[in-house]
Amino acid sequence: MGRFVDSWRSHLLVTFSGNGEGRPQWVDRIELGDDVGFFGPGSAAWAVHGGMATMVAGIRALLMQTLHPGAMAGVHDWSRYKEDPLGRLSGTIQWLVTVTFGDTALAENESSRVGRFHDRVTGTYRDAQGIERPYAAGDPDLLAWVHIVFTDAFLQSHTIWGGPIPGGADGYVCEWAKAGELVGVRNPPRSRLELQRQLDAFRDAGILKSDERVAEAVRFIRNPPLRPAMMPFYRVMFAGAVASIPREYRDLLGVRRSMLPVVWGTGAVLGLVRFLLGRSSTSEDAARARIARLGAAA
């Protein structure tokens, strides 16, 4: 049993950090720096992104992102998610964690790195009306969509499976607007109501679309190349993510809410992961060490 737990823990660490010890090289840079960062201890961002519900939030965000045909075209044309899904996941986690826990200079540099990658992601796609349109990953419309569904996914997942948020939902949305600005989002939402309005605006404008590309991406997200021993737990979290999505978006995605108690089951899986990995992450520990060093020097 102990060997199984150790193996499962090791694979979790590799999956979510790219390193078997749970501390990839870029975490070392979080411990360096000259200030607290954009957020800091006691912030809504630390509370939400330091919780286990982020695992479900990532699944939900990926599902929702596929519904914008421009965003889906960028993933289809440029992403290597099929050949290296864990590498893409690790890259996204690196940006999220660095902006959340790093100092301001590191967060800005990491966001610039993401922006440079976006500069080359261009192409064309057919919109929901069948009209061919150009796209670029840096388009304000696409940046806004990705930021909105990301923020919504992490907020809703933490609301269901996490604890209290300092400042509440409005506090988190307002804080995380800074991350959107760092990658070029114009007028990111700064309250829960504004977040919902911006999300609904995409739906009401007839921008969102379901097609074979979306169906293919959903199939991949449903069955990623994880170890067989992890798949039953992942499928519970996938079902939990689907259950957390409003019905109108589930219908577009072509997924149904399970009749089983998957919300409760997802909470149980997250509790198991917390037991295996511990309550604090190496990135949060590194940030606290940096802040303690700065406090001692002051």
Side-chain angles (χ1 to χ4, degrees), residues 196-233:
Q196 189 62 52
R197 285 175 174 170
Q198 290 192 21
L199 180 61
D200 291 344
F202 277 93
R203 180 198 62 199
D204 297 342
I207 294 173
L208 308 185
K209 174 185 177 183
S210 180
D211 57 15
E212 180 51 37
R213 283 184 175 180
V214 173
E216 180 183 18
V218 170
R219 286 194 294 270
F220 185 86
I221 297 169
R222 187 193 298 270
N223 293 292
L226 299 175
R227 287 185 180 178
M230 292 186 66
M231 283 305 296
F233 303 95

Side-chain angles (χ1 to χ4, degrees), residues 19-296:
N19 180 278
E21 299 299 320
R23 187 181 173 105
Q25 187 175 7
W26 50 265
V27 170
D28 294 337
R29 296 196 293 271
I30 292 177
E31 195 165 333
L32 307 175
D34 300 321
D35 56 42
V36 172
F38 287 109
F39 309 111
S43 66
W46 272 42
V48 173
H49 300 158
M52 290 299 163
T54 56
M55 298 173 64
V56 189
I59 299 171
R60 174 177 167 145
L62 288 175
L63 288 170
M64 289 292 292
Q65 284 177 20
T66 66
L67 292 176
H68 192 302
M72 188 68 254
V75 171
H76 181 273
D77 296 345
W78 290 90
S79 174
R80 296 179 62 248
Y81 75 91
K82 290 184 179 179
E83 293 81 7
D84 185 24
L86 298 185
R88 182 172 184 265
L89 175 62
S90 295
T92 302
I93 291 174
Q94 178 177 337
W95 172 79
L96 166 70
V97 169
T98 299
V99 172
T100 303
F101 296 109
D103 76 328
T104 54
L106 185 61
E108 290 169 345
N109 290 339
E110 180 64 16
S111 297
S112 295
R113 180 188 69 83
V114 172
R116 288 192 297 272
F117 173 78
H118 284 168
D119 288 343
R120 58 194 175 101
V121 178
T122 60
T124 62
Y125 72 96
R126 292 198 175 276
D127 67 13
Q129 288 71 46
I131 300 173
E132 186 172 4
R133 298 186 182 277
Y135 75 83
D139 288 345
D141 181 59
L142 296 185
L143 289 174
W145 171 251
V146 171
H147 176 75
I148 289 167
V149 298
F150 180 100
T151 305
D152 184 60
F154 280 74
L155 174 60
Q156 299 303 335
S157 296
H158 191 86
T159 300
I160 297 171
W161 294 288
I165 302 174
D170 287 345
Y172 173 68
V173 176
C174 186
E175 283 186 13
W176 199 240
K178 182 61 186 181
E181 291 174 342
L182 288 174
V183 293
V185 178
R186 301 174 184 173
N187 191 33
R190 299 183 184 278
S191 70
R192 184 172 193 169
L193 179 59
E194 191 176 350
L195 173 66
Q196 189 62 52
R197 285 175 174 170
Q198 290 192 21
L199 180 61
D200 291 344
F202 277 93
R203 180 198 62 199
D204 297 342
I207 294 173
L208 308 185
K209 174 185 177 183
S210 180
D211 57 15
E212 180 51 37
R213 283 184 175 180
V214 173
E216 180 183 18
V218 170
R219 286 194 294 270
F220 185 86
I221 297 169
R222 187 193 298 270
N223 293 292
L226 299 175
R227 287 185 180 178
M230 292 186 66
M231 283 305 296
F233 303 95
Y234 176 84
R235 289 196 175 102
V236 172
M237 290 193 295
F238 177 88
V242 168
S244 74
I245 296 174
R247 181 172 180 175
E248 59 266 33
Y249 298 108
R250 293 202 306 264
D251 290 344
L252 277 172
L253 289 165
V255 295
R256 294 182 179 181
R257 176 169 181 160
S258 173
M259 299 296 291
L260 299 174
V262 293
V263 172
W264 176 88
T266 297
V269 169
L270 295 178
L272 174 62
V273 174
R274 184 183 297 108
F275 170 75
L276 293 173
L277 299 185
R279 290 189 173 273
S280 65
S281 66
T282 55
S283 50
E284 183 175 340
D285 292 341
R288 290 188 181 278
R290 180 186 77 250
I291 294 168
R293 171 176 54 81
L294 294 172

